[in-house]
Amino acid sequence: MAEPAPEDVDAVLFLVGDAGMAEEGRTPTIRRLAQDVEAWAGALPDSAVMAVFLGDNVYEVGIRDPQDPGYAQDTLRLNTQVRAVAGPMARERHVRGVFLPGNHDWGNLKGEAGLARAGNMAEHLAGWKTSGAADVAFLPQGGDPGPASLDLGDHARLLALDGHWWLQGEDSVAKAAVMRRIADAMAGAGARHVVIASHLPLLTGGPHGGTIQFFPTFGLRFLAHKSGMLIQDVTAKPYQELIAAFREVFDRVGPPLAMAGGHDHSLQVLEDTLPGGRTWTQLLSGAGSKLTDLRPVPGMKWGRRAPGYMHITFIKDGTALLHVTAGAAAYKSCDGDGDLRLQCMAEGADSMHVAYTTRLR
């Protein structure tokens, strides 16, 4: 399915997750993303392009405090992603970059310690925006689980959520209030297509879905359980409660155009059927800088272990098209220095192509 002509396009939404290992001049995926953002920004009117970075924007522990020796490395990785929406056309046409919280952006921490780590990311991104160098924001922020609602063009609404807040929280009343706000934002979207963005996918054929064993021995799995790592798997009780809460909202107010997430480091398009027979689509775009394996699971329409990202093209006639851009796994990153690295970057960006397309609505 070819891309439509720019004159027929209302807006374009890019989706890329788990890019927290990206570094300037060493990650072909981010270079290709920047090229595509610039191309669409130049072809469309003002504010018609948005890029959503789906969490785990800085590995392994988010952005540490400025006095920490790791701060320079942390901000370097975040800045690499910001520059994908800071090109000349992106600035001129006011392309927005939205960075969601992931569990690593919380430092895999709870409470005030995790909020402080996420706050460092919000503050750093605010510095880019204040300077006018890039229109970027960390959403939702300040411990607010969301949804943060952003409209794009005439046909799309993005609802940005903080999934880690849900997994590490225990307040059932607050969680119920979040789901009511999500339902209200969806119901109030009118004719706009709703895309819900959260680092945590509700469906996945990757390791966090339980189909691939991260910890093959009992001892390693016990240690992972004690550290809290397994709460990040869809089989964990809080995660199952999150899935059930979303499916109840989708069944009651109608499904969104798509739910977009990362968490597992692959590219996946999955479909789930609600009790009444209606379906909704999970987009998993977590291959910004890491790769993990995946296996076919019920509802998987397409999947690949490859670096890449996705974009949704919203057409003026109301239709919405999904395009998945993927490259060769060998070009996940370019190590070394000099001409070999430059060649790797060029070849890696050129290797990326639209590997899958479908009409979402």
Side-chain angles (χ1 to χ4, degrees):
M1 186 183 303
E3 286 274 22
E7 58 266 26
D8 296 328
V9 175
D10 177 59
V12 175
L13 178 67
F14 287 92
L15 302 165
V16 58
D18 302 77
M21 290 292 288
E23 294 186 6
E24 189 69 26
R26 297 183 182 276
T27 310
T29 300
I30 302 302
R31 173 175 290 188
R32 181 57 180 264
L33 172 65
Q35 293 170 354
D36 282 356
V37 168
E38 281 289 281
W40 274 113
L44 297 180
D46 194 63
S47 302
V49 177
M50 180 187 293
V52 181
F53 296 83
L54 296 162
D56 283 2
N57 308 311
V58 176
Y59 286 112
E60 293 288 329
V61 292
I63 292 187
R64 287 162 280 193
D65 294 336
Q67 63 271 24
D68 191 289
Y71 178 79
Q73 179 69 49
D74 299 340
T75 53
L76 173 68
R77 289 176 174 169
L78 186 61
N79 291 344
T80 298
Q81 297 160 72
V82 172
R83 291 190 182 97
V85 293
M89 289 308 307
R91 292 196 305 273
E92 180 177 330
R93 297 292 170 84
H94 299 97
V95 171
R96 287 173 284 175
V98 177
F99 288 76
L100 303 185
N103 53 291
H104 284 276
D105 303 318
W106 278 68
N108 272 323
L109 300 168
K110 297 176 64 174
E112 293 301 320
L115 287 173
R117 200 59 60 87
N120 290 342
M121 184 169 293
E123 183 176 355
H124 187 76
L125 291 169
W128 276 87
K129 185 175 176 65
T130 300
S131 70
D135 187 356
V136 292
F138 186 71
L139 293 175
Q141 59 179 288
D144 178 6
S149 180
L150 299 171
D151 288 342
L152 176 64
D154 294 327
H155 294 284
R157 170 169 291 181
L158 176 79
L159 301 182
L161 304 171
D162 185 346
H164 185 69
W165 173 92
W166 181 288
L167 293 189
Q168 60 91 37
E170 298 177 355
D171 188 338
S172 60
V173 174
K175 289 180 176 181
V178 170
M179 300 314 296
R180 286 196 298 272
R181 293 199 297 270
I182 292 170
D184 290 345
M186 293 177 66
R192 289 181 181 272
H193 296 302
V194 175
V195 177
I196 301 175
S198 170
H199 179 63
L200 302 178
L202 305 189
L203 307 170
T204 176
H208 284 299
T211 61
I212 300 170
Q213 183 59 267
F214 265 135
F215 307 103
T217 68
F218 175 81
L220 287 175
R221 192 165 185 85
F222 175 79
L223 291 174
H225 176 75
K226 294 291 286 184
S227 71
M229 291 177 66
L230 295 185
I231 201 172
Q232 300 294 329
D233 290 354
V234 300
T235 53
K237 182 180 178 181
Y239 212 134
Q240 284 290 303
E241 292 172 347
L242 176 66
I243 293 169
F246 267 112
R247 295 186 85 242
E248 188 278 329
V249 169
F250 295 169
D251 189 44
R252 177 161 46 88
V253 305
L257 176 74
M259 189 160 183
H263 207 37
D264 274 331
H265 308 143
S266 55
L267 301 167
Q268 303 177 47
V269 179
L270 307 107
E271 187 175 88
D272 180 45
T273 302
L274 298 169
R278 290 176 296 179
T279 61
W280 63 276
T281 299
Q282 172 75 63
L283 305 177
L284 196 154
S285 182
S289 67
K290 285 186 170 187
L291 295 178
T292 49
D293 291 334
L294 72 159
R295 293 178 182 173
V297 294
M300 182 178 286
K301 301 299 182 183
W302 182 88
R304 183 172 295 180
R305 181 186 182 276
Y309 51 90
M310 302 180 181
H311 71 272
I312 302 173
T313 308
F314 297 94
I315 314 301
K316 292 178 181 177
D317 67 5
T319 59
L321 308 177
L322 172 70
H323 292 78
V324 183
T325 298
Y331 292 113
K332 174 178 66 70
S333 63
C334 294
D335 300 322
D337 295 302
D339 291 342
L340 287 178
R341 180 172 59 82
L342 295 175
Q343 180 180 350
C344 172
M345 284 291 293
E347 292 177 351
D350 289 344
S351 80
M352 306 198 79
H353 62 285
V354 174
Y356 178 81
T357 66
T358 191
R359 176 173 170 170
L360 295 175
R361 192 72 56 81

